[in-house]
């Protein structure tokens, strides 16, 4: 295996000069840097990750905490994971993906072993038990989500309250007043998941502002679960806001079975990432979940905390909603 000493001999420089050229910790003349780079390319040298970490006091690894629970929509989660991994590579970082629901123990295990330089945490709950542990860690953290008390935390997410209002207003602007929410699975609400609670808050306020009755039901995304949800909602609604990507296909099929045409009889606005929904019989109007933008921002914020911890105060970034009109909403 090629070593740093081999590179130094091939470039005609000292081992320490090669190390400085790799780490950038001391200025090296352009000519010397070019000789080192040429020797590395010729010999196929790859610096040892452990040695790099010891030299720089960094591991060049970010932890992404994304528990894969039974009621999680994996394709949606993977949109965020892909965005984080892609953005991390732009900073020459790798990503350690933690999918087991370990709570604070998992955070402390990874951080305590100096395995990672920073943590990005998903599936945030309104009263998240992990928050006190995150605030005590040596490593900085970024939450993709917004707990009810974000003081001292750096958070980024879609503004789900504003998104719910935008969905209702989009339907109301086309004459709809009987609007119902097909929400996430019951377990998502039972855990107090932040995004679901914030969306429900925004939906309730927006429908209430219309002077209409609030109809909001959790929905198991199985065909039987969607059937039950639609039965609870009843046949009188003219507009559906669907905050449950996995329920979309059975929902559209069951509406067809019931003889309710989209959008002629019932209009549908779906809340989902751009690329996380399979082909459907109707091109849905959507409030897009900006997974790529949120994941990229989370990495950018983590790197800023690593590079300038004193000059970077905690912040919360909530991205505004974007409604993309397609073929599933019509006026009444």
């Amino acid at each position: 295996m090629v070593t740093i000493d081999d590179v130094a001999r091939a470039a005609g420089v000292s081992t320490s000069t090669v190390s400085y050229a790799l780490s950038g910790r001391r200025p090296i003349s352009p000519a010397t840097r070019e000789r080192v780079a040429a020797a590395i390319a010729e010999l196929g040298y790859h610096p040892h990750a452990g040695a790099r970490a010891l030299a720089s006091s960094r591991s060049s690894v970010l932890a992404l905490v994304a528990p894969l629970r039974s009621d999680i929509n994996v394709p949606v989660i993977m949109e965020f994971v892909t965005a984080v991994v892609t953005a991390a590579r732009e900073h020459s970082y790798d990503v350690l993906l933690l999918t087991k629901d370990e709570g604070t123990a998992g955070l402390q295990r990874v951080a305590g072993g100096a395995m990672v330089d920073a943590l990005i945490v998903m599936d945030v709950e309104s009263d998240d038990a992990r928050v006190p542990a995150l605030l005590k860690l040596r490593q900085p953290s970024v939450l993709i989500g917004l707990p009810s008390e974000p003081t001292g935390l750096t958070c980024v997410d879609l503004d789900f309250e504003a998104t719910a209002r935008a969905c209702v207003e989009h339907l109301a602007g086309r004459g709809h007043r009987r609007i119902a929410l097909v929400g996430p699975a019951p377990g998502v609400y039972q855990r107090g998941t932040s995004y679901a609670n914030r969306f429900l808050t925004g939906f309730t306020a927006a429908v209430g502002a219309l002077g209409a009755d609030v109809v909001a039901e959790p929905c198991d995304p199985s065909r039987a679960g969607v059937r039950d949800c639609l039965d609870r909602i009843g046949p009188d609604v003219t507009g559906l806001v669907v905050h449950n990507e996995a329920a979309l296909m059975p929902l559209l099929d069951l509406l067809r079975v019931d003889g309710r045409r989209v959008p002629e009889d019932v209009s549908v606005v779906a809340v989902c990432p751009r690329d996380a929904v399979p082909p459907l019989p109707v091109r849905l109007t959507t409030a897009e979940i900006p997974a790529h933008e949120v994941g990229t921002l989370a990495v950018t914020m983590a790197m800023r905390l690593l590079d300038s911890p004193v000059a970077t105060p905690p912040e919360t970034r909530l991205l505004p909603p974007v409604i993309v009109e397609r073929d599933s909403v019509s006026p009444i």
Side-chain angles (χ1 to χ4, degrees):
M1 185 175 66
V2 178
T3 69
I4 193 171
D5 293 327
D6 298 326
V7 173
R9 280 193 294 271
V13 298
S14 67
T15 301
S16 60
T17 298
V18 176
S19 177
Y20 295 144
L22 289 169
S23 67
R25 299 185 70 173
R26 288 193 185 179
I28 303 293
S29 72
T32 300
R33 189 177 297 278
E34 286 178 11
R35 290 208 312 275
V36 171
I40 288 172
E42 180 182 350
L43 298 174
Y45 172 66
H46 298 284
H48 188 276
R52 266 203 323 268
L54 287 172
S56 66
S57 75
R58 286 192 182 184
S59 66
S60 295
V61 177
L62 300 176
L64 176 58
V65 184
L68 296 184
R69 300 185 172 101
S70 59
D71 51 16
I72 289 291
N73 189 309
V74 174
V76 173
I77 292 295
M78 291 310 299
E79 292 273 321
F80 288 92
V81 171
T82 300
V84 168
V85 170
T86 302
R89 291 310 307 151
E90 293 294 319
H91 296 274
S92 298
Y93 262 71
D94 293 314
V95 174
L96 175 64
L97 180 60
L98 306 175
T99 60
K100 188 176 179 181
D101 186 9
E102 297 180 273
T104 58
L107 303 179
Q108 292 164 346
R109 173 175 58 82
V110 172
M115 298 167 64
V116 300
D117 296 332
L119 299 92
I120 296 174
V121 180
M122 295 184 63
D123 199 35
V124 175
E125 297 171 7
S126 296
D127 298 312
D128 202 305
R130 298 171 297 182
V131 165
L134 288 170
L135 291 171
K136 293 177 182 176
L137 295 180
R138 173 179 60 82
Q139 294 92 333
S141 59
V142 176
L143 275 61
I144 295 180
L146 184 68
S148 55
E149 180 47 69
T151 303
L153 299 167
T154 294
C155 308
V156 60
D157 206 355
L158 173 65
D159 189 334
F160 278 96
E161 282 194 42
T163 300
R165 291 195 300 270
C167 291
V168 172
E169 289 165 4
H170 184 79
L171 290 165
R174 286 144 185 82
H176 296 271
R177 292 297 181 272
R178 298 191 302 277
I179 301 169
L181 170 63
V182 176
V188 175
Y189 287 116
Q190 291 163 7
R191 286 198 307 276
T193 307
S194 169
Y195 73 83
N197 287 345
R198 288 184 284 135
F199 193 92
L200 180 59
T201 297
F203 179 85
T204 301
V207 172
L210 298 175
D213 293 334
V214 175
V215 179
E217 295 289 346
C219 183
D220 184 287
S222 67
R223 187 178 179 86
V226 175
R227 174 78 278 169
D228 182 56
C229 178
L230 288 174
D231 289 345
R232 294 196 308 272
I233 287 172
D236 295 332
V237 299
T238 64
L240 291 174
V241 177
V242 184
H243 189 200
N244 188 328
E245 303 88 346
L248 286 169
M249 187 173 290
L251 180 137
L252 291 175
D253 187 54
L254 287 167
L255 289 174
R256 180 190 59 79
V257 170
D258 292 346
R260 302 173 71 189
R261 298 166 300 164
V262 177
E264 292 86 354
D265 301 314
V266 59
S267 291
V268 176
V269 178
V271 184
C272 55
R274 186 179 304 117
D275 301 319
V277 178
L280 297 169
V282 180
R283 294 175 65 249
L284 294 177
T285 291
T286 59
E288 296 200 342
I289 297 176
H292 175 77
E293 291 83 350
V294 169
T296 301
L297 266 174
V299 172
T300 300
M301 296 164 91
M303 299 310 301
R304 194 177 299 143
L305 288 167
L306 283 170
D307 294 337
S308 305
V310 177
T312 307
E315 63 172 323
T316 294
R317 296 276 303 275
L318 296 179
L319 304 189
V322 175
I323 302 290
V324 179
E325 293 190 57
R326 296 190 181 90
D327 303 330
S328 62
V329 176
S330 65
I332 60 170

